[in-house]
Amino acid sequence: GNDGDAWLADSEAADAQKDIAELRSALERVAALRDAHGVDAQLGEYEACDKASLARRLLDRVEAVNDVASHVEEHVRPVCREHDVDADDILTAYISARAEKHT
């Protein structure tokens, strides 16, 4: 009877609250990427992308060799930490790919 209906309503409300919390968290991450790291990503793009690609995008922005170290420490490593991506793996793969382009 009504107990089942109340449980279902409570369950649906809990699911909705979880969805809202996940959406809020994703929006906060998108805003942090924009504000702290200058990555202009839309929510859908952020949710769909491979998080390692965010780090590669940050590396692509570095124009001067002298800026690489500070850019990695200020932007790449924090974004990798926030998204459980191994920064050293990203850096190794990125450098290898760049070296291949120039050989």
Side-chain angles (χ1 to χ4, degrees), residues 26-82:
L27 287 169
E28 287 172 348
R29 284 184 169 198
V30 169
L33 282 169
R34 182 196 61 229
D35 297 344
H37 307 294
V39 175
D40 189 23
Q42 301 298 318
L43 179 62
E45 175 188 9
Y46 169 78
E47 290 182 324
C49 81
D50 163 26
K51 300 311 183 248
S53 70
L54 293 172
R56 289 189 294 272
R57 280 173 65 178
L58 290 168
L59 287 166
D60 283 340
R61 294 189 323 195
V62 180
E63 294 179 12
V65 174
N66 293 342
D67 296 337
V68 171
S70 64
H71 195 77
V72 166
E73 294 307 315
E74 291 173 24
H75 300 290
V76 176
R77 288 194 185 280
V79 167
C80 286
R81 267 193 306 274
E82 291 163 15

